[in-house]
Coordinates of all heavy atoms in Angstrom, one line a residue:
H326 N 117.2 97.2 145.6 CA 117.2 97.0 147.0 C 116.2 95.9 147.5 O 116.3 95.4 148.5 CB 117.1 98.4 147.7 CG 116.2 98.5 148.8 ND1 114.9 98.8 148.7 CD2 116.4 98.3 150.2 CE1 114.4 98.9 149.9 NE2 115.3 98.7 150.8
C327 N 115.1 95.7 146.7 CA 114.1 94.9 147.1 C 114.5 93.4 146.9 O 114.8 93.0 145.7 CB 112.8 95.2 146.3 SG 111.4 94.2 146.8
I328 N 114.3 92.5 147.8 CA 114.6 91.1 147.6 C 113.3 90.4 147.2 O 112.3 90.6 147.7 CB 115.1 90.5 148.9 CG1 116.4 91.2 149.3 CG2 115.3 89.0 148.7 CD1 116.8 90.8 150.7
T329 N 113.3 89.7 146.0 CA 112.1 89.2 145.4 C 111.9 87.7 145.5 O 110.9 87.3 145.3 CB 112.1 89.6 143.9 OG1 113.3 89.0 143.3 CG2 112.0 91.0 143.6
T330 N 112.8 87.0 146.1 CA 112.7 85.6 146.2 C 112.7 85.2 147.7 O 113.3 85.8 148.5 CB 113.8 84.8 145.6 OG1 115.0 85.1 146.2 CG2 113.9 85.1 144.1
T331 N 111.8 84.3 148.0 CA 111.7 83.8 149.4 C 112.9 83.0 149.8 O 113.2 82.8 150.9 CB 110.4 83.0 149.6 OG1 110.4 81.9 148.7 CG2 109.2 83.9 149.4
H332 N 113.7 82.5 148.8 CA 114.8 81.6 149.2 C 115.9 82.3 149.9 O 116.6 81.8 150.7 CB 115.4 81.0 147.9 CG 114.4 80.2 147.2 ND1 113.8 79.0 147.7 CD2 113.7 80.4 146.0 CE1 112.9 78.6 146.8 NE2 112.9 79.4 145.7
T333 N 116.0 83.7 149.7 CA 117.0 84.4 150.3 C 116.6 85.0 151.7 O 117.3 85.6 152.4 CB 117.5 85.6 149.4 OG1 116.4 86.4 149.1 CG2 118.1 85.0 148.2
M334 N 115.3 84.8 152.0 CA 114.8 85.4 153.2 C 114.8 84.3 154.3 O 113.8 83.8 154.7 CB 113.3 85.8 153.1 CG 113.1 86.9 152.0 SD 114.1 88.4 152.3 CE 113.2 89.0 153.6
N335 N 116.0 84.1 154.8 CA 116.3 83.1 155.9 C 116.5 83.7 157.2 O 116.8 83.1 158.1 CB 117.4 82.1 155.4 CG 118.6 82.8 155.2 OD1 118.7 84.1 155.3 ND2 119.6 82.1 154.8
N336 N 116.4 85.0 157.3 CA 116.8 85.7 158.5 C 115.5 86.6 158.9 O 115.1 87.5 158.1 CB 117.9 86.6 158.2 CG 118.5 87.4 159.4 OD1 117.8 87.6 160.3 ND2 119.7 87.8 159.3
S337 N 115.0 86.4 160.1 CA 113.8 87.1 160.5 C 114.1 88.6 160.6 O 113.2 89.4 160.4 CB 113.3 86.5 161.8 OG 113.8 87.2 162.9
S338 N 115.3 89.1 160.9 CA 115.6 90.5 161.0 C 115.5 91.1 159.6 O 115.1 92.3 159.5 CB 116.9 90.8 161.7 OG 117.9 90.2 160.9
Q339 N 115.9 90.4 158.5 CA 115.8 90.9 157.2 C 114.3 91.1 156.9 O 113.9 92.2 156.3 CB 116.3 89.9 156.1 CG 117.7 89.9 156.0 CD 118.2 88.8 154.9 OE1 118.0 87.6 155.2 NE2 118.6 89.2 153.8
I340 N 113.4 90.2 157.2 CA 112.0 90.3 157.0 C 111.5 91.5 157.7 O 110.7 92.3 157.1 CB 111.3 89.1 157.4 CG1 111.7 87.9 156.5 CG2 109.8 89.2 157.4 CD1 111.2 86.5 157.0
L341 N 111.9 91.8 159.0 CA 111.3 92.9 159.8 C 111.7 94.2 159.2 O 111.0 95.1 159.1 CB 111.8 92.8 161.2 CG 111.1 91.7 162.0 CD1 111.7 91.7 163.4 CD2 109.6 92.0 162.1
R342 N 113.1 94.3 158.7 CA 113.6 95.5 158.1 C 112.8 95.8 156.9 O 112.4 97.0 156.6 CB 115.0 95.4 157.8 CG 115.9 95.7 159.0 CD 117.4 95.9 158.6 NE 118.0 94.7 158.1 CZ 118.5 93.7 158.9 NH1 118.5 93.8 160.2 NH2 119.1 92.7 158.3
E343 N 112.5 94.8 156.0 CA 111.8 95.1 154.8 C 110.3 95.5 155.1 O 109.8 96.4 154.4 CB 111.9 93.9 153.8 CG 111.4 94.4 152.5 CD 111.7 93.3 151.4 OE1 112.6 92.4 151.6 OE2 111.1 93.4 150.4
L344 N 109.7 94.9 156.1 CA 108.4 95.2 156.4 C 108.4 96.7 157.0 O 107.4 97.5 156.7 CB 107.9 94.3 157.5 CG 107.4 92.9 157.0 CD1 107.1 91.9 158.3 CD2 106.1 93.1 156.2
Q345 N 109.3 97.1 157.7 CA 109.4 98.4 158.2 C 109.6 99.5 157.0 O 108.9 100.5 157.0 CB 110.6 98.6 159.2 CG 110.3 97.9 160.5 CD 111.6 98.0 161.4 OE1 112.7 98.1 160.9 NE2 111.4 97.8 162.7
D346 N 110.4 99.1 156.1 CA 110.6 99.9 154.8 C 109.2 100.0 154.1 O 108.8 101.1 153.7 CB 111.6 99.3 153.9 CG 113.1 99.5 154.4 OD1 113.2 100.3 155.3 OD2 113.9 98.8 153.9
L347 N 108.5 98.9 154.0 CA 107.2 99.0 153.4 C 106.2 99.8 154.1 O 105.4 100.6 153.5 CB 106.6 97.6 153.1 CG 107.1 96.8 151.9 CD1 106.6 95.4 152.0 CD2 106.7 97.6 150.7
K348 N 106.3 99.8 155.4 CA 105.4 100.6 156.2 C 105.6 102.1 156.1 O 104.7 102.9 155.9 CB 105.5 100.2 157.7 CG 104.6 100.9 158.6 CD 104.7 100.5 160.1 CE 103.7 101.2 161.0 NZ 103.8 100.8 162.4
K349 N 107.0 102.5 155.9 CA 107.3 103.8 155.7 C 106.8 104.3 154.3 O 106.3 105.4 154.2 CB 108.8 104.1 155.8 CG 109.3 104.0 157.1 CD 110.8 104.0 157.2 CE 111.5 103.8 158.5 NZ 112.9 103.7 158.6
T350 N 107.0 103.4 153.3 CA 106.6 103.6 152.0 C 105.0 103.9 152.0 O 104.5 104.8 151.3 CB 107.0 102.5 151.0 OG1 108.3 102.3 151.0 CG2 106.5 102.8 149.6
W351 N 104.3 103.0 152.7 CA 102.9 103.1 152.8 C 102.4 104.5 153.3 O 101.5 105.0 152.8 CB 102.4 102.0 153.7 CG 100.9 101.9 154.1 CD1 99.9 101.7 153.3 CD2 100.4 102.1 155.3 NE1 98.7 101.6 154.0 CE2 99.0 101.9 155.3 CE3 100.9 102.4 156.6 CZ2 98.1 102.1 156.3 CZ3 100.1 102.6 157.7 CH2 98.7 102.4 157.5
K352 N 103.1 105.0 154.3 CA 102.8 106.3 154.8 C 103.1 107.4 153.9 O 102.2 108.3 153.7 CB 103.6 106.5 156.2 CG 103.0 105.8 157.3 CD 103.9 106.0 158.6 CE 103.4 105.2 159.8 NZ 104.2 105.6 160.9
V353 N 104.2 107.3 153.2 CA 104.6 108.3 152.2 C 103.6 108.3 151.1 O 103.3 109.4 150.6 CB 106.0 108.1 151.7 CG1 106.3 108.9 150.5 CG2 107.0 108.3 152.8
Q354 N 103.1 107.2 150.7 CA 102.1 107.0 149.5 C 100.7 107.2 150.0 O 99.8 106.6 149.4 CB 102.3 105.7 148.8 CG 103.7 105.5 148.2 CD 103.9 104.1 147.6 OE1 104.8 103.9 147.0 NE2 103.0 103.2 147.8
N355 N 100.5 108.0 151.0 CA 99.1 108.3 151.4 C 98.4 107.1 151.9 O 97.2 106.9 151.5 CB 98.3 109.1 150.3 CG 97.1 109.8 150.9 OD1 97.1 110.2 152.1 ND2 96.1 110.1 150.1
F356 N 99.0 106.2 152.6 CA 98.5 105.0 153.1 C 97.9 104.0 152.0 O 96.9 103.4 152.2 CB 97.4 105.3 154.2 CG 98.0 106.2 155.2 CD1 97.7 107.5 155.3 CD2 98.8 105.6 156.3 CE1 98.2 108.3 156.3 CE2 99.3 106.4 157.3 CZ 99.0 107.8 157.3
N357 N 98.6 104.0 150.9 CA 98.3 103.1 149.8 C 99.5 102.3 149.4 O 100.6 102.9 149.4 CB 97.7 103.8 148.7 CG 96.3 104.3 149.0 OD1 95.4 103.6 149.4 ND2 96.1 105.6 148.8
L358 N 99.4 101.1 149.0 CA 100.5 100.3 148.5 C 100.1 99.9 147.0 O 98.9 99.7 146.7 CB 100.7 99.0 149.2 CG 101.2 99.1 150.6 CD1 101.3 97.8 151.3 CD2 102.7 99.7 150.6
T359 N 101.1 99.8 146.1 CA 100.8 99.3 144.8 C 100.5 97.8 144.8 O 100.8 97.2 145.9 CB 102.0 99.6 143.9 OG1 103.1 98.8 144.3 CG2 102.4 101.1 143.8
A360 N 100.1 97.3 143.8 CA 99.7 95.8 143.7 C 101.0 95.0 144.0 O 100.9 94.0 144.8 CB 99.1 95.5 142.4
S361 N 102.1 95.4 143.5 CA 103.4 94.6 143.7 C 103.9 94.8 145.1 O 104.4 93.9 145.8 CB 104.4 95.0 142.7 OG 104.8 96.4 142.9
Q362 N 103.7 96.0 145.7 CA 104.1 96.3 147.1 C 103.2 95.4 148.0 O 103.7 94.8 149.0 CB 103.9 97.7 147.5 CG 105.1 98.6 146.8 CD 104.9 100.1 147.0 OE1 103.7 100.5 147.1 NE2 105.9 100.8 147.0
Q363 N 101.9 95.4 147.7 CA 100.9 94.6 148.6 C 101.2 93.1 148.5 O 101.2 92.4 149.5 CB 99.4 94.8 148.1 CG 98.5 94.1 149.0 CD 98.4 94.7 150.4 OE1 98.3 95.9 150.6 NE2 98.5 93.9 151.4
A364 N 101.6 92.7 147.3 CA 101.9 91.2 147.2 C 103.3 90.9 148.0 O 103.3 89.9 148.7 CB 102.2 90.9 145.7
R365 N 104.1 91.9 148.0 CA 105.4 91.6 148.7 C 105.2 91.7 150.2 O 105.7 90.9 151.0 CB 106.4 92.8 148.3 CG 107.8 92.6 149.0 CD 108.5 91.3 148.6 NE 109.7 91.1 149.2 CZ 110.3 90.0 149.5 NH1 109.8 88.9 149.1 NH2 111.5 90.0 150.1
Y366 N 104.3 92.6 150.7 CA 103.9 92.7 152.0 C 103.3 91.4 152.5 O 103.6 90.9 153.5 CB 102.9 93.9 152.3 CG 102.5 94.0 153.7 CD1 103.2 94.6 154.7 CD2 101.2 93.4 154.1 CE1 102.7 94.7 156.0 CE2 100.8 93.5 155.4 CZ 101.5 94.2 156.3 OH 101.0 94.2 157.6
D367 N 102.3 90.9 151.7 CA 101.7 89.6 152.0 C 102.7 88.5 152.2 O 102.6 87.6 153.0 CB 100.6 89.3 151.1 CG 99.4 90.3 151.1 OD1 99.3 91.0 152.1 OD2 98.7 90.4 150.1
E368 N 103.6 88.4 151.2 CA 104.6 87.4 151.2 C 105.5 87.5 152.5 O 105.8 86.5 153.1 CB 105.5 87.5 150.0 CG 106.6 86.5 149.8 CD 107.6 86.7 148.7 OE1 107.5 87.8 148.1 OE2 108.3 85.8 148.4
L369 N 105.9 88.8 152.8 CA 106.8 88.9 154.0 C 106.0 88.6 155.3 O 106.6 88.0 156.2 CB 107.3 90.4 154.1 CG 108.3 90.8 153.0 CD1 108.4 92.3 153.0 CD2 109.6 90.0 153.2
M370 N 104.7 89.0 155.4 CA 103.9 88.6 156.6 C 103.8 87.1 156.7 O 103.8 86.6 157.8 CB 102.5 89.3 156.5 CG 102.7 90.7 156.8 SD 103.3 91.1 158.4 CE 102.1 90.6 159.5
G371 N 103.7 86.4 155.6 CA 103.5 84.9 155.6 C 104.9 84.3 156.1 O 104.8 83.5 156.9
L372 N 105.9 84.9 155.7 CA 107.2 84.4 156.2 C 107.5 84.7 157.7 O 107.9 83.8 158.4 CB 108.4 85.1 155.4 CG 108.5 84.6 153.9 CD1 109.5 85.5 153.2 CD2 109.1 83.2 153.9
R373 N 107.1 85.9 158.1 CA 107.2 86.3 159.5 C 106.3 85.3 160.3 O 106.8 84.9 161.3 CB 106.6 87.7 159.6 CG 106.7 88.2 161.0 CD 108.1 88.5 161.5 NE 108.0 88.9 162.9 CZ 108.9 88.6 163.8 NH1 109.9 87.8 163.5 NH2 108.8 89.0 165.0
K374 N 105.1 85.0 159.9 CA 104.2 84.1 160.7 C 104.8 82.7 160.7 O 104.7 82.1 161.7 CB 102.8 84.2 160.1 CG 102.1 85.5 160.3 CD 100.7 85.5 159.7 CE 100.1 86.8 159.9 NZ 98.8 87.0 159.3
A375 N 105.5 82.3 159.6 CA 106.1 81.0 159.6 C 107.2 81.0 160.6 O 107.4 79.9 161.3 CB 106.6 80.6 158.2
F376 N 108.0 82.0 160.7 CA 109.1 82.1 161.6 C 108.6 81.9 163.1 O 109.0 81.1 163.9 CB 109.9 83.4 161.6 CG 111.1 83.3 160.7 CD1 111.2 83.9 159.5 CD2 112.3 82.7 161.2 CE1 112.3 83.8 158.7 CE2 113.5 82.7 160.5 CZ 113.5 83.2 159.2
I377 N 107.5 82.6 163.3 CA 107.0 82.7 164.7 C 106.4 81.4 165.0 O 106.6 80.8 166.1 CB 105.9 83.8 164.9 CG1 106.7 85.2 164.8 CG2 105.1 83.6 166.2 CD1 105.8 86.3 164.7
Q378 N 105.7 80.7 164.1 CA 105.1 79.4 164.3 C 106.3 78.4 164.6 O 106.2 77.5 165.4 CB 104.3 78.9 163.1 CG 103.6 77.6 163.3 CD 102.6 77.6 164.4 OE1 102.0 78.6 164.7 NE2 102.5 76.6 165.2
H379 N 107.3 78.4 163.8 CA 108.5 77.5 164.0 C 109.0 77.7 165.4 O 109.4 76.8 166.2 CB 109.5 77.8 163.0 CG 110.8 77.0 163.2 ND1 110.9 75.6 163.1 CD2 112.0 77.4 163.7 CE1 112.1 75.2 163.4 NE2 112.8 76.3 163.7
W380 N 109.2 79.0 165.8 CA 109.7 79.3 167.2 C 108.8 78.8 168.2 O 109.3 78.2 169.3 CB 109.9 80.8 167.4 CG 111.0 81.4 166.6 CD1 112.1 80.7 166.0 CD2 111.1 82.7 166.1 NE1 112.9 81.6 165.3 CE2 112.3 82.8 165.3 CE3 110.3 83.8 166.3 CZ2 112.7 84.0 164.8 CZ3 110.7 85.0 165.8 CH2 111.9 85.1 165.0
K381 N 107.4 78.9 168.1 CA 106.5 78.3 169.0 C 106.6 76.7 169.2 O 106.6 76.2 170.2 CB 105.1 78.7 168.7 CG 104.7 80.1 169.0 CD 103.3 80.3 168.6 CE 102.9 81.8 168.9 NZ 101.6 82.2 168.5
E382 N 106.8 76.1 167.9 CA 106.9 74.7 167.9 C 108.2 74.1 168.6 O 108.3 73.1 169.1 CB 106.9 74.2 166.5 CG 105.5 74.3 165.9 CD 105.5 74.0 164.3 OE1 106.6 73.8 163.8 OE2 104.4 74.1 163.7
T383 N 109.2 75.0 168.5 CA 110.5 74.6 169.2 C 110.8 75.3 170.5 O 111.8 75.3 171.0 CB 111.7 74.9 168.2 OG1 111.7 76.4 168.0 CG2 111.6 74.2 167.0
D384 N 109.7 75.7 171.2 CA 109.7 76.4 172.4 C 110.7 77.5 172.6 O 111.4 77.6 173.6 CB 110.0 75.3 173.6 CG 108.8 74.4 173.7 OD1 107.7 74.8 173.5 OD2 109.1 73.2 174.0
R385 N 110.7 78.3 171.6 CA 111.6 79.5 171.6 C 110.9 80.8 171.8 O 111.5 81.8 171.7 CB 112.5 79.5 170.3 CG 113.4 78.3 170.2 CD 114.1 78.3 168.9 NE 115.1 79.3 168.9 CZ 115.8 79.7 167.8 NH1 115.5 79.2 166.6 NH2 116.7 80.7 167.9
V386 N 109.6 80.7 172.1 CA 108.8 81.9 172.3 C 108.1 81.8 173.8 O 107.6 80.8 174.2 CB 107.7 82.0 171.3 CG1 106.7 83.1 171.6 CG2 108.2 82.1 169.9
W387 N 108.3 82.9 174.5 CA 107.7 82.9 175.9 C 106.2 83.2 175.7 O 105.8 84.2 175.1 CB 108.3 84.0 176.7 CG 107.6 84.2 178.0 CD1 106.8 85.2 178.3 CD2 107.6 83.4 179.1 NE1 106.3 85.1 179.6 CE2 106.8 84.0 180.1 CE3 108.3 82.2 179.4 CZ2 106.6 83.4 181.4 CZ3 108.1 81.7 180.7 CH2 107.2 82.2 181.6
I388 N 105.4 82.3 176.2 CA 104.0 82.5 176.2 C 103.5 82.5 177.7 O 103.7 81.4 178.4 CB 103.2 81.3 175.5 CG1 103.6 81.3 174.0 CG2 101.7 81.5 175.6 CD1 103.2 80.1 173.2
G389 N 103.1 83.6 178.1 CA 102.8 83.7 179.6 C 102.8 85.2 180.0 O 102.9 86.1 179.1
P390 N 102.6 85.4 181.2 CA 102.7 86.9 181.7 C 104.1 87.5 181.5 O 105.0 86.9 181.5 CB 102.3 86.8 183.1 CG 102.7 85.5 183.6 CD 102.5 84.6 182.4
S391 N 104.1 88.8 181.2 CA 105.3 89.6 181.0 C 105.9 89.9 182.4 O 105.2 90.2 183.3 CB 105.1 90.8 180.3 OG 106.2 91.6 180.3
N392 N 107.2 89.7 182.6 CA 107.8 90.0 183.9 C 108.6 91.3 183.7 O 109.4 91.7 184.5 CB 108.8 88.9 184.3 CG 108.0 87.7 184.7 OD1 106.9 87.8 185.3 ND2 108.6 86.5 184.4
A393 N 108.4 92.0 182.5 CA 109.2 93.2 182.3 C 108.9 94.3 183.3 O 107.7 94.5 183.6 CB 108.8 93.7 180.8
G394 N 109.9 94.9 183.8 CA 109.7 96.0 184.7 C 109.4 95.6 186.1 O 109.3 96.5 187.0
K395 N 109.2 94.3 186.4 CA 108.9 93.9 187.8 C 110.3 93.9 188.7 O 111.3 93.6 188.2 CB 108.3 92.5 187.8 CG 107.0 92.5 187.3 CD 106.3 91.2 187.4 CE 104.9 91.2 186.9 NZ 104.2 90.0 187.0
N396 N 110.1 94.3 189.9 CA 111.3 94.4 190.8 C 111.4 93.0 191.5 O 110.6 92.7 192.4 CB 111.1 95.5 191.7 CG 112.4 95.7 192.6 OD1 113.3 94.9 192.5 ND2 112.3 96.7 193.4
F397 N 112.4 92.2 191.1 CA 112.5 90.9 191.8 C 113.1 90.9 193.2 O 113.0 90.0 193.9 CB 113.4 90.0 190.8 CG 112.8 89.7 189.5 CD1 113.1 90.3 188.4 CD2 111.7 88.8 189.5 CE1 112.5 90.0 187.1 CE2 111.1 88.4 188.3 CZ 111.5 89.0 187.2
E398 N 113.7 92.1 193.5 CA 114.2 92.2 194.9 C 113.2 92.4 195.9 O 113.4 92.2 197.0 CB 115.3 93.4 195.0 CG 116.5 93.0 194.1 CD 117.5 94.1 194.1 OE1 117.4 95.0 195.0 OE2 118.4 94.2 193.2
K399 N 111.9 92.8 195.5 CA 110.8 93.0 196.4 C 110.6 91.7 197.2 O 110.2 91.8 198.4 CB 109.6 93.4 195.7 CG 109.3 94.9 195.7 CD 107.9 95.1 195.1 CE 107.6 96.6 195.2 NZ 106.5 97.0 194.5
E400 N 110.7 90.6 196.6 CA 110.3 89.3 197.3 C 111.3 89.1 198.5 O 110.8 88.7 199.6 CB 110.6 88.1 196.3 CG 109.5 88.1 195.2 CD 109.8 87.0 194.2 OE1 110.6 86.1 194.6 OE2 109.3 87.1 193.1
E401 N 112.5 89.6 198.4 CA 113.4 89.4 199.6 C 113.0 90.4 200.7 O 113.1 90.0 201.9 CB 114.8 89.7 199.1 CG 115.3 88.7 198.1 CD 116.7 89.0 197.6 OE1 117.3 90.0 198.1 OE2 117.2 88.4 196.6
E402 N 112.4 91.6 200.3 CA 112.0 92.5 201.4 C 110.9 92.0 202.2 O 110.7 92.5 203.3 CB 111.7 93.8 200.7 CG 112.9 94.5 200.1 CD 112.5 95.7 199.3 OE1 111.5 96.3 199.4 OE2 113.5 96.3 198.6
N403 N 110.0 91.2 201.5 CA 108.8 90.8 202.2 C 109.0 89.6 203.1 O 108.0 89.1 203.7 CB 107.7 90.5 201.1 CG 107.3 91.7 200.4 OD1 107.4 92.8 200.9 ND2 106.8 91.5 199.2
V404 N 110.2 89.2 203.3 CA 110.5 88.0 204.2 C 110.3 88.5 205.7 O 110.8 89.6 206.1 CB 111.9 87.5 204.0 CG1 112.2 86.4 205.0 CG2 112.1 86.9 202.5
A405 N 109.6 87.7 206.4 CA 109.4 88.1 207.8 C 110.6 88.1 208.6 O 111.5 87.2 208.5 CB 108.4 87.1 208.4
P406 N 110.8 89.1 209.5 CA 112.1 89.1 210.3 C 112.0 88.1 211.4 O 111.0 87.6 211.8 CB 112.0 90.5 211.0 CG 110.6 90.9 210.9 CD 109.9 90.2 209.7
N407 N 113.2 87.6 211.8 CA 113.3 86.5 212.8 C 113.0 86.9 214.2 O 113.3 87.8 214.8 CB 114.8 86.0 212.8 CG 115.1 85.3 211.5 OD1 114.1 84.8 210.8 ND2 116.3 85.1 211.1

């Protein structure tokens, strides 16, 4: 089930899934990884960082304040009456 070559890791969701699996394994193994698991984790993190860097370079990442949960209709309510 473990993918060992970086050539097949062309999908960021694959990388995230495998990182999540390694995190679960890490917890089950009393918060320790074997040498090969640690090497794989380091490889996946490098790939993940490369994806994010590429997204930043191509302006596909929002850098700024979060607008999550803000009520955009409030601005309309604050308009002065005629």
Side-chain angles (χ1 to χ4, degrees):
H326 133 272
C327 183
I328 299 171
T329 57
T330 61
T331 57
H332 303 294
T333 59
M334 299 303 289
N335 56 5
N336 184 340
S337 90
S338 60
Q339 278 180 292
I340 294 169
L341 287 175
R342 276 193 293 275
E343 194 168 340
L344 281 169
Q345 288 171 340
D346 287 345
L347 275 173
K348 186 176 180 181
K349 289 176 188 174
T350 301
W351 173 69
K352 287 180 181 180
V353 169
Q354 294 175 174
N355 199 27
F356 304 102
N357 289 307
L358 291 175
T359 64
S361 63
Q362 289 170 333
Q363 183 65 51
R365 184 63 181 152
Y366 176 83
D367 294 340
E368 180 183 14
L369 290 168
M370 286 303 293
L372 289 168
R373 178 73 181 144
K374 289 177 182 179
F376 263 106
I377 293 170
Q378 185 60 37
H379 174 72
W380 292 335
K381 285 181 179 179
E382 290 170 0
T383 57
D384 292 328
R385 297 177 70 191
V386 176
W387 171 256
I388 299 174
S391 172
N392 292 327
K395 291 189 178 176
N396 187 353
F397 292 104
E398 294 179 18
K399 257 187 181 175
E400 293 176 17
E401 296 173 10
E402 292 174 12
N403 293 335
V404 175
N407 294 336

